[in-house]
């Protein structure tokens, strides 16, 4: 396995074969196609032209280059940058090198974090919180109530409610957060995780939030 380590000189590792670098470039292109949902030919055309290819290769070779951002403009062009742009169309892909970053002979890279960022960060965070984090926490609490306590869930629900309200404000709308889905979770009710007073507390908290929002609209 041929490794490129972050501790090496800024000029890169001369021992890394050019073929592995080219394979790593193709590896990144495939993930860009996945994150940005672009055709392979379309993204290759943009990335091979201008500074795109050079910047990606510098990111792979140079230990000082820790971050790479790929995004599409409103015109449909694929842009490459080392910093997060002030605005971009729909979403962007990011690649972050850790200190354990290595490039394999086949171009595969380890010690590399990657993912996608949506242009509407708050709305994306709200969706992730409700559809991914919340079910995971509820499932964990059903299996081990001592690990994920009621206070933890209360804090999380307050966070998601405020986030949901804030998303509505950015759109000029008044969004009313719904009660905790724990109230309808059959498994939780069967295990009597939620006593009557707990259910009343959750509903009261929800109604208080709604009342405050309605008052703000009527002022």
């Amino acid at each position: 396995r041929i490794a490129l380590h972050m501790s090496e000189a800024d000029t890169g590792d001369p021992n890394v074969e050019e073929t592995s670098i080219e394979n790593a470039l193709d590896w990144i292109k495939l993930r860009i196609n996945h994150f940005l949902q672009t055709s392979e030919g379309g993204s290759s055309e943009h990335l091979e032209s201008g500074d795109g290819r050079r910047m990606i290769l510098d990111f792979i070779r140079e230990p000082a280059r820790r971050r790479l951002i790929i995004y599409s403009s409103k015109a449909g062009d694929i842009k490459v940058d080392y910093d997060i742009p002030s605005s971009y169309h729909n979403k962007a892909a990011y690649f972050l090198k850790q200190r354990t970053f290595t490039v394999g002979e086949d171009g595969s890279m380890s010690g590399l974090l990657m993912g996608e960022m949506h242009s509407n960060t708050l709305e994306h965070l709200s969706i992730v919180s409700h559809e991914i984090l919340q079910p995971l926490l509820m499932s964990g609490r059903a299996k081990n109530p001592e690990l994920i306590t009621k206070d933890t869930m209360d804090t999380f629900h307050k966070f998601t409610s405020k986030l949901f309200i804030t998303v509505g404000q950015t759109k000029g709308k008044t969004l009313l957060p719904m009660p905790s889905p724990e109230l309808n979770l059959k498994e939780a009710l069967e295990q009597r995780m939620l006593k009557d007073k707990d259910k009343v507390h959750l509903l009261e908290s929800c109604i208080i939030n709604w009342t405050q929002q309605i008052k703000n609209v009527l002022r």
Side-chain angles (χ1 to χ4, degrees), residues 139-208:
S139 176
R141 177 159 167 73
K143 296 177 181 178
N144 192 346
E146 295 181 358
L147 180 62
I148 302 177
T149 64
K150 177 180 176 298
D151 290 339
T152 301
M153 296 302 299
D154 286 345
T155 301
F156 180 78
H157 292 319
K158 288 179 182 177
F159 165 74
T160 54
S161 295
K162 290 182 179 179
L163 180 60
F164 187 71
I165 293 171
T166 303
V167 169
Q169 291 174 340
T170 61
K171 298 180 178 180
K173 299 179 181 179
T174 299
L175 300 182
L176 303 178
M178 297 301 292
S180 165
E182 286 185 1
L183 293 175
N184 299 316
L185 185 63
K186 182 178 179 180
E187 184 178 0
L189 294 176
E190 288 177 351
Q191 295 183 11
R192 297 186 177 181
M193 287 172 49
L194 289 175
K195 299 178 180 178
D196 287 340
K197 64 177 182 179
D198 294 329
K199 289 186 283 186
V200 171
H201 171 71
L202 288 172
L203 289 172
E204 286 179 342
S205 299
C206 187
I207 293 174
I208 290 173

Side-chain angles (χ1 to χ4, degrees), residues 2 15-27 57 60-61 103-108:
I2 299 176
N15 295 323
V16 176
E17 295 181 1
E18 192 62 27
T19 54
S20 66
I21 295 295
E22 288 295 330
N23 289 336
L25 176 63
D26 293 336
W27 190 88
L57 289 176
I60 298 172
R61 290 191 179 112
V103 179
E105 293 179 359
D106 60 352
S108 61

Side-chain angles (χ1 to χ4, degrees), residues 6 32 58 68 86 102 166 182 218:
M6 295 294 297
I32 292 173
D58 284 347
L68 183 70
S86 57
T102 60
T166 303
E182 286 185 1
L218 296 178

Side-chain angles (χ1 to χ4, degrees), residues 17 50-51 61 71 79 98 101 107 110 114 126 131 144 148 175 180-181 193 204 213 215:
E17 295 181 1
D51 294 333
R61 290 191 179 112
Y71 62 98
K79 303 292 185 181
Q98 299 176 300
F101 177 73
S110 60
M114 56 186 171
S126 180
E131 297 186 5
N144 192 346
I148 302 177
L175 300 182
S180 165
M193 287 172 49
E204 286 179 342
Q213 287 179 266
K215 286 182 178 179

